[in-house]
Amino acid sequence: MKQLGIIEDVHDIRNMLSLYFSEQKEFDLCFAVESASKIPMGKIDGLDIVLCDIGLPGKSGMEITWFLKQKNPELHIVMFTVLENEGNIFQALQAGASGYLLKDTPLHNIKQSLLDVLEGGAAISPMLAKKVIDYFKPSTTTSELTERETQVLQQIQEGNTNKQVAESLQITPDTVKFHIKNIYEKLKVSSRAELFRLYK
């Protein structure tokens, strides 16, 4: 039986989660509180997993995640929120969260997500998973390049040096550098290797 803690400031949601998880044989609900100040610190070391809201009074869910992970590095923390912003997702994961679930997730899915995390997986709502994937996709296409930038890009893709590009297109090496800088900015890359990987 895994030790579970819940941090949720909305009374009705907290009660709903408490009632549900109190009846689940896989979990022992250690506490269900509304803020960081109410967390029973004596129980942190024995916890396995925490379901934590982001928008809380006092310390935010991000701050609580960082704080709890300092106290118990083995603790899994799954964020529970109405926020769908990609920035919040990455901040939560950087703080040490093991997952990110939306509050409209059905209770049985929340339970399964927590179990997945405890077994070494990650918990993330399907809608959020798509946002994460989309975030890492190139956000700009080569169609947004000018005709000259496209020509420079094609030369680079053929493995030509800046000098060779300049000679081929009959422009100066400095002009080539200028176009490459614009290409990097428009395609949101920072190196030729990244350019090859994303725009073969």
Side-chain angles (χ1 to χ4, degrees):
M1 186 178 289
K2 299 299 183 178
Q3 305 297 303
L4 168 68
I6 295 171
I7 309 170
E8 167 59 61
D9 65 323
V10 178
H11 182 269
D12 290 346
I13 295 177
R14 188 170 66 252
N15 278 357
M16 175 187 69
L17 291 169
S18 297
L19 288 171
Y20 177 76
F21 280 103
S22 293
E23 297 174 350
Q24 305 307 307
K25 67 181 187 300
E26 296 91 345
F27 293 97
D28 176 18
L29 181 61
C30 296
F31 63 80
V33 298
E34 67 269 23
S35 66
S37 63
K38 302 292 185 181
I39 298 172
M41 298 308 297
K43 295 188 176 181
I44 299 303
D45 287 343
L47 279 179
D48 294 299
I49 193 162
V50 170
L51 186 63
C52 182
D53 188 10
I54 286 184
L56 294 165
K59 289 188 191 310
S60 71
M62 308 291 192
E63 293 172 304
I64 291 173
T65 296
W66 184 87
F67 175 76
L68 292 179
K69 291 290 285 186
Q70 297 301 307
K71 296 289 184 182
N72 181 356
E74 301 302 315
L75 177 62
H76 293 287
I77 301 172
V78 175
M79 310 311 294
F80 189 57
T81 182
V82 295
L83 302 174
E84 299 181 20
N85 182 276
E86 294 93 333
N88 286 318
I89 300 171
F90 298 129
Q91 284 178 28
L93 297 177
Q94 287 171 348
S98 300
Y100 198 107
L101 298 174
L102 294 178
K103 288 190 177 181
D104 61 1
T105 305
L107 287 169
H108 65 276
N109 286 351
I110 295 174
K111 172 186 171 181
Q112 187 57 54
S113 294
L114 297 186
L115 292 173
D116 288 345
V117 167
L118 289 166
E119 291 174 3
I124 188 164
S125 295
M127 186 182 301
L128 298 178
K130 184 178 186 307
K131 283 180 176 285
V132 172
I133 292 168
D134 289 345
Y135 182 87
F136 286 105
K137 284 182 179 176
S139 57
T140 308
T141 65
T142 56
S143 64
E144 296 182 38
L145 300 179
T146 65
E147 182 178 353
R148 179 61 86 185
E149 288 165 354
T150 300
Q151 292 172 342
V152 171
L153 176 60
Q154 289 171 343
Q155 292 280 329
I156 291 173
Q157 289 171 326
E158 291 172 7
N160 293 334
T161 64
N162 287 3
K163 183 180 179 182
Q164 291 171 324
V165 174
E167 291 173 353
S168 176
L169 299 179
Q170 297 183 333
I171 55 180
T172 68
D174 284 342
T175 302
V176 173
K177 290 179 183 178
F178 173 77
H179 287 311
I180 290 174
K181 178 175 177 290
N182 288 340
I183 291 168
Y184 282 9
E185 288 177 356
K186 288 184 179 181
L187 299 184
K188 295 180 174 56
V189 299
S190 56
S191 68
R192 290 196 181 212
E194 195 174 359
L195 200 60
F196 287 135
R197 181 172 65 83
L198 296 175
Y199 300 94
K200 293 177 182 177

